[in-house]
Amino acid sequence: MKLRYCALAIATVLAGCNSDSENPAQGNNGQDFKAPIASSVAISGDALVGSTLTGKYSFTDPNYSPRPEGESQYQWRQADADEDTSNDKVLGDSQTLALADSEFGQNVYFCVTPAAEGNVNIIGEEKCSASVNVQSGAGEKPQADNVSIDNMEPTVGDTLTGDYTYSDPDGDTEAVSQFVWKSNGKDIDGANQQGFTLTATQEGISIQFCVTPISENPDALPNYPVTGDQACSEATAAVKPKTGSAPVATDVTTSGDHTVGSVITGQYSYEDADNDKEGQSQRSWKRDGVELPGETASTYTLAASDKGASVEFCVTPVAATGLPTQGNETCADPITDVTEPVGDVPTITLGVVTSDGDVQLAQVGDTLTGSYQYQPSSSGAADDSKAVWKAGDQVIASATCTTGQACDLTIGEQQLGQSLTYCVTPKATDSQTGAEQCSPAMDTFGIRISGKLEFGQNLEAETFGYTNPQFSWKVDTTSTDGPAGDTAKTEKATASVYSIGHDVLAHITPEFESTQGNNNGMIDDADWDQALRQGVVNDSTVNAAHYVGKDVQLCVTTDEAAEQCLLASAQPGVSGGVLYNKDDFSLRAIEPVREVTFKGAVYHRPLSIAEMETGSDSDFGPLMPKAHYSQSAMGIDWASLKLEHTDGTKPGLEVCLNLYKQQPEDSSTWFLPASRSDSAYTPNAFDGQGNQLPVDDVNTYLIKLANIYNTKDQVVGQGLVGNLQDTASPVFGWVTNSAGNTPFWSATKPNANLEQANSVKFYDSGSSGNNAVGNGRFVTCIRAAG
C-alpha cells in the first residue's frame, strides 16, 4: 500500500496516529491538529475496457498551519450486489486503473484515505466516489495517420509545418486535435501549434511533429471515446546551423608583473553579429610564435626561459551555435621585457578583520574590511601583493581590493551559508610570490526569502547561522486601497512557509464548494457568492482585494539577534508581484492570481499601466504596447487598451501576441480569446494576424470563463471571476470594475459591423456586448492548459 503509517502494527497505527491524547499544539496556533479531509472524490476517463480511469479528489488539511499532503492511500474496488462494502473486491492501489476484460459489466469505484505529513493525527476518513459501469465501448477512437513534416532537413530559422490525415471509424468529424513538437523525443515547451519556427536551441537536434486526434461526440453518448492515440511523424535530420558571421575576439590584452614566477592573465571580449553564444573558445600562450604545450588557460606563470623571448596570449573565438562557428585568432601585444626577480619574498602581517556592523554576526549588507602590513625585504622593493576575499575556496569577484590598501567585501545574498576568509599572497615587484595567508574563517548570518509575491502562492523563509528562529509573516489587510493602505501590517502566519492569503480560501472548504457552491471542481467567485448568501462570509470579510497591492513583511527573532524585519518585495529570491508605480519600476506588491486554469484553458490576469511601460523591465516581455487608458482598483492603475487604432495597430491583440516574448520573431503562446460562435459573428477576426487561440472540448469557438448556474437558488452565478466586492474578484484579485462598463476584449466581431468588437464580462450574468473598438477595455489572454 502507498500510505506511510507509523512504525507499528496497522491496527495500532490507526488508533495511535489519529489519537488526540498526544496531540501537541505547537505549530498550530495553540490548537490540536485535526485530521486531513478528502472531498470531491470522483472518477475521470472513459469507463471502457482498454481505457484507463483516474481517481480525483481535493485534499484539505483543516489546521491553522495546513500541512502538505503525505502519502495518501488509494483503492479501486468492484462493487458487489449487497450494501456491505467491506468485502468488495480490490482491483488496484494506485490513482489510476487500467480496465481489463475481467471488469466488463462490473461497477467500479475509487476510494482515498487522506494523509498529511507529520506524526500527529495525519490520517483522515476514507471517502469513495460513485461507481461507474464498465462497458465494452460505444464507439472507436479517432485516428491520425500519415503524420509528416514539410521539411525533413531543416535549418535554424526555418518554420516547419506538420500535416496529418484524420479519420474516425464511426465517421465522427474532427474537433480540436492536439499538437506537440518534440526535440529528441521530448516535448518542446509551448510548441503546440501546427507550425513551429526553429531557434538555435534546436540546433543539432532531430524534430518530430505529433498529433493526438480528437473527435466530436455528435450524439452526446456517455463513455464515448473522443481522444485517439498520439501519432508522430518521422524525425527530421539534425537541425542544421544557420550561416551568418564568424565570431570575433576583441580587446585581447594581458595584465600582471613581467618577472619570472609572476602570473600573467589574458583577457578578451567575445562578439558575434548573429548573437550566437560563445562556445569553447580556444586560448593559447606562445613563446616566440610557438604555442606552449598544455598552456590553454587564461593565466600563465612566466618561466626563466621567457627572459629575452616574446610571450603572447592568443584567442580563437568559437560560437556554440551558427555557422561559421570559428573566427580568426587574435593575439595580445607581446611581452618582451621578462626579467628575473632579484629580491626575497617580503613579509606581511594580516590585520584584524573589521566590520561596519557586528563582525561576530556577519550579515548581508555588512561591509567587512581586511587589511595587512607590508614589510619589504632587503631590496626595499615596492608592494605587489594580491589581496582577495574568498567564499570557501572561491574568490569573490565583487570584493574591492587594492594592493597595499584596505580590502572591502559587502556581503551579498550569494554569500549566505558560506564561510568567508580574507587572504593575501605576499609579493614584491622584484620577487616571486610567497605562500598565501588567510584570516580565520567567518560564518555568514542572514535571512533569505524565496517564492512568489502572488496571491495564493508561497513565500519561504530560510535562516543562516542563527539558532532558534521565530518567524512572523505580516500583511496589512485592513483595506482594499493597495499601496496607499499598506500602513498597519498584522501577523498572518508563524511557520517558515507562508501561503499568501490562505485565510481567504479557508472560509470555503472543498465540501462547501461541492455541496453548496457551483461544484465545478475549483473554489471561485460563484462559491464566494454562495458563502455570502449562506452567511459564511460577509461584505467586510477579508478577501483577495485586501491583499493585492500590499507588501509582505517577515520579522525574525533569534537567539543571536533582536527582531529583524524584511520586505518580500525587496528580496532578489522573490519573483512575481505587480508593478504599481510607472515612475518607479522598482516598486512591486502582491499581484492577483496570475493564471486561472479552467476547462482546459489558462487565462492570464490583466496587467497594470506600469507593467506595460517601455523600460519597466517587468517579466511580461519588452514588446508590450503602451496603454493609453486605465481603470483604478485596489490603489493600482490597471491597463485599459483599445482593440484597434485608426492607424491599423491593434494594441488589445498585441498584448496577448507579445506576452512574454523577448524578440519579435519569437512564436506566441498566448492569444486573445473569442466569445461568440453564432452565424452573426466572426469568432476569431484576427486569425490572419496570428491569433491561433485554443478551443475547448465543449464548443469549437466559445472560449470564456463559464457562467455557473446555481441550482440551489435558481439564479445564474458570477462565473469564475466576479465583481462581488467593489471592483475586484474576492477569490482571484482580478480587477473587474463594479459598474460593469469595462469588460474584457475578445477576438470576436459582428459580421455586420467590423468596426465593433464583442467584449466579454467574466462576471454578473456573464453577458457580452458589442463595443466600439476605440473604447478602452481590460485584456486577458488565453492559452491551452498543459
Side-chain angles (χ1 to χ4, degrees):
M1 292 299 179
K2 182 184 178 188
L3 184 57
R4 183 173 54 202
Y5 292 121
C6 304
L8 302 170
I10 290 179
T12 304
V13 169
L14 293 176
C17 287
N18 284 286
S19 171
D20 288 330
S21 62
E22 297 180 357
N23 194 345
Q26 290 86 352
N28 198 33
N29 200 32
Q31 304 172 14
D32 289 342
F33 279 102
K34 299 177 183 178
I37 299 169
S39 60
S40 303
V41 185
I43 296 174
S44 68
D46 298 326
L48 305 171
V49 172
S51 297
T52 297
L53 300 180
T54 300
K56 294 189 174 182
Y57 63 97
S58 295
F59 175 86
T60 304
D61 189 60
N63 292 288
Y64 179 81
S65 298
R67 298 167 295 181
E69 184 174 8
E71 296 192 17
S72 298
Q73 178 182 11
Y74 310 128
Q75 270 198 357
W76 291 89
R77 300 174 190 154
Q78 178 179 305
D80 53 25
D82 58 42
E83 296 182 359
D84 182 9
T85 61
S86 63
N87 58 357
D88 285 350
K89 179 181 179 181
V90 176
L91 301 175
D93 59 2
S94 68
Q95 201 169 351
T96 59
L97 176 67
L99 295 171
D101 290 336
S102 58
E103 275 87 56
F104 171 65
Q106 303 296 327
N107 293 318
V108 300
Y109 61 98
F110 170 72
C111 298
V112 56
T113 301
E117 289 187 358
N119 55 15
V120 175
N121 218 2
I122 64 170
I123 302 171
E125 180 184 353
E126 181 185 71
K127 294 292 181 69
C128 298
S129 70
S131 62
V132 294
N133 186 260
V134 181
Q135 300 295 311
S136 61
E140 300 292 334
K141 295 179 181 179
Q143 298 173 193
D145 300 312
N146 303 318
V147 183
S148 62
I149 300 174
D150 64 342
N151 180 359
M152 297 299 286
E153 295 187 0
T155 299
V156 170
D158 289 349
T159 297
L160 305 182
T161 301
D163 196 11
Y164 65 101
T165 302
Y166 170 87
S167 63
D168 188 285
D170 304 312
D172 298 326
T173 58
E174 185 176 11
V176 184
S177 297
Q178 299 174 353
F179 308 130
V180 65
W181 292 85
K182 298 187 177 186
S183 59
N184 283 356
K186 295 183 179 180
D187 291 358
I188 301 173
D189 186 35
N192 51 19
Q193 305 297 318
Q194 208 163 345
F196 176 59
T197 301
L198 298 168
T199 67
T201 306
Q202 285 82 47
E203 183 177 314
I205 296 174
S206 298
I207 304 297
Q208 284 179 289
F209 171 65
C210 300
V211 182
T212 300
I214 299 177
S215 72
E216 300 282 5
N217 181 1
D219 301 316
L221 297 174
N223 300 325
Y224 194 75
V226 296
T227 302
D229 299 322
Q230 185 183 76
C232 296
S233 70
E234 291 184 6
T236 66
V239 176
K240 293 177 288 188
K242 183 178 180 179
T243 300
S245 301
V248 177
T250 62
D251 301 324
V252 184
T253 60
T254 60
S255 61
D257 188 63
H258 297 177
T259 58
V260 173
S262 295
V263 176
I264 304 298
T265 301
Q267 302 97 4
Y268 69 97
S269 296
Y270 173 88
E271 296 179 3
D272 190 289
D274 305 314
N275 294 319
D276 291 318
K277 294 182 178 180
E278 184 175 11
Q280 295 182 344
S281 296
Q282 301 168 8
R283 303 166 181 81
S284 65
W285 292 87
K286 298 180 181 181
R287 181 187 297 130
D288 292 334
V290 179
E291 286 190 11
L292 297 172
E295 297 294 344
T296 57
S298 295
T299 58
Y300 170 67
T301 302
L302 291 171
S305 54
D306 293 320
K307 291 188 301 180
S310 173
V311 177
E312 290 179 288
F313 170 67
C314 300
V315 180
T316 300
V318 176
T321 57
L323 288 176
T325 58
Q326 184 168 306
N328 295 325
E329 182 183 68
T330 304
C331 297
D333 291 339
I335 299 171
T336 58
D337 57 347
V338 178
T339 59
E340 189 77 41
V342 295
D344 297 327
V345 174
T347 303
I348 62 165
T349 302
L350 294 181
V352 176
V353 172
T354 61
S355 172
D356 62 356
D358 182 351
V359 75
Q360 301 302 319
L361 292 175
Q363 304 177 77
V364 171
D366 287 353
T367 297
L368 304 177
T369 299
S371 61
Y372 65 94
Q373 292 182 342
Y374 174 78
Q375 293 88 36
S377 63
S378 58
S379 70
D383 184 13
D384 194 25
S385 303
K386 304 299 180 185
V388 295
W389 276 97
K390 294 183 178 181
D393 59 356
Q394 298 297 313
V395 173
I396 301 173
S398 61
T400 306
C401 300
T402 305
T403 298
Q405 299 179 17
C407 185
D408 292 342
L409 169 68
T410 299
I411 302 174
E413 279 274 332
Q414 63 272 27
Q415 275 87 52
L416 277 178
Q418 297 181 320
S419 183
L420 305 179
T421 52
Y422 169 68
C423 300
V424 180
T425 301
K427 184 182 182 304
T429 55
D430 65 351
S431 76
Q432 298 188 26
T433 56
E436 184 180 67
Q437 300 178 39
C438 296
S439 67
M442 301 187 332
D443 292 332
T444 52
F445 291 75
I447 303 166
R448 176 182 293 158
I449 306 177
S450 58
K452 292 183 178 179
L453 195 59
E454 176 184 339
F455 185 76
Q457 295 293 327
N458 290 341
L459 294 175
E460 182 173 1
E462 188 178 8
T463 61
F464 298 86
Y466 296 116
T467 55
N468 192 28
Q470 305 295 313
F471 303 106
S472 176
W473 299 93
K474 300 179 181 182
V475 185
D476 182 350
T477 56
T478 57
S479 72
T480 60
D481 297 333
D486 196 6
T487 59
K489 293 179 171 62
T490 57
E491 185 173 272
K492 299 297 180 182
T494 57
S496 60
V497 177
Y498 169 52
S499 179
I500 301 175
H502 70 84
D503 54 329
V504 174
L505 298 186
H507 292 295
I508 306 175
T509 64
E511 288 83 1
F512 181 94
E513 194 279 332
S514 62
T515 60
Q516 300 180 67
N518 56 28
N519 193 26
N520 65 352
M522 66 185 298
I523 295 173
D524 55 35
D525 288 346
D527 301 312
W528 191 274
D529 187 31
Q530 269 298 88
L532 280 169
R533 298 170 190 268
Q534 299 292 328
V536 176
V537 298
N538 56 49
D539 290 340
S540 62
T541 302
V542 170
N543 60 56
H546 292 74
Y547 280 89
V548 173
K550 308 294 181 65
D551 207 343
V552 179
Q553 184 183 55
L554 170 67
C555 293
V556 183
T557 57
T558 64
D559 290 346
E560 292 79 9
E563 183 178 69
Q564 303 177 71
C565 294
L566 306 173
L567 290 176
S569 65
Q571 307 310 307
V574 175
S575 62
V578 58
L579 302 185
Y580 60 83
N581 188 328
K582 64 182 180 64
D583 297 319
D584 187 349
F585 298 136
S586 68
L587 300 177
R588 57 177 175 152
I590 297 171
E591 67 174 301
V593 174
R594 182 171 291 199
E595 297 182 0
V596 175
T597 302
F598 187 64
K599 291 196 172 184
V602 181
Y603 297 83
H604 197 285
R605 71 161 173 87
L607 305 183
S608 70
I609 284 284
E611 288 166 340
M612 299 187 67
E613 286 284 326
T614 302
S616 67
D617 198 29
S618 72
D619 59 356
F620 301 108
L623 305 178
M624 286 291 177
K626 185 174 182 178
H628 295 283
Y629 305 95
S630 67
Q631 293 284 335
S632 294
M634 299 167 286
I636 298 172
D637 290 332
W638 300 93
S640 176
L641 296 95
K642 292 183 178 182
L643 186 60
E644 296 183 46
H645 283 294
T646 54
D647 62 4
T649 58
K650 299 175 175 58
L653 174 66
E654 291 169 13
V655 171
C656 297
L657 296 187
N658 289 305
L659 189 58
Y660 298 107
K661 286 175 59 174
Q662 299 300 312
Q663 301 293 334
E665 61 269 19
D666 294 344
S667 59
S668 177
T669 303
W670 293 88
F671 306 99
L672 191 66
S675 62
R676 295 289 293 269
S677 61
D678 54 82
S679 59
Y681 289 85
T682 300
N684 183 8
F686 302 108
D687 181 47
Q689 284 76 42
N691 196 48
Q692 304 300 314
L693 55 94
V695 293
D696 62 25
D697 57 0
V698 177
N699 185 303
T700 305
Y701 296 104
L702 188 60
I703 307 292
K704 59 189 290 188
L705 298 183
N707 305 305
I708 308 302
Y709 187 76
N710 187 330
T711 58
K712 289 186 175 295
D713 293 318
Q714 303 285 298
V715 296
V716 175
Q718 275 77 8
L720 289 180
V721 178
N723 65 331
L724 308 177
Q725 301 278 329
D726 299 323
T727 58
S729 156
V731 171
F732 303 105
W734 283 26
V735 56
T736 57
N737 192 288
S738 60
N741 58 7
T742 307
F744 291 77
W745 281 124
S746 81
T748 300
K749 286 189 178 183
N751 293 334
N753 185 358
L754 292 179
E755 299 302 317
Q756 299 286 328
N758 199 257
S759 57
V760 189
K761 298 178 182 178
F762 291 154
Y763 45 85
D764 294 336
S765 62
S767 62
S768 57
N770 293 334
N771 295 270
V773 295
N775 293 338
R777 297 285 182 265
F778 298 135
V779 178
T780 185
C781 304
I782 189 172
R783 64 174 173 83

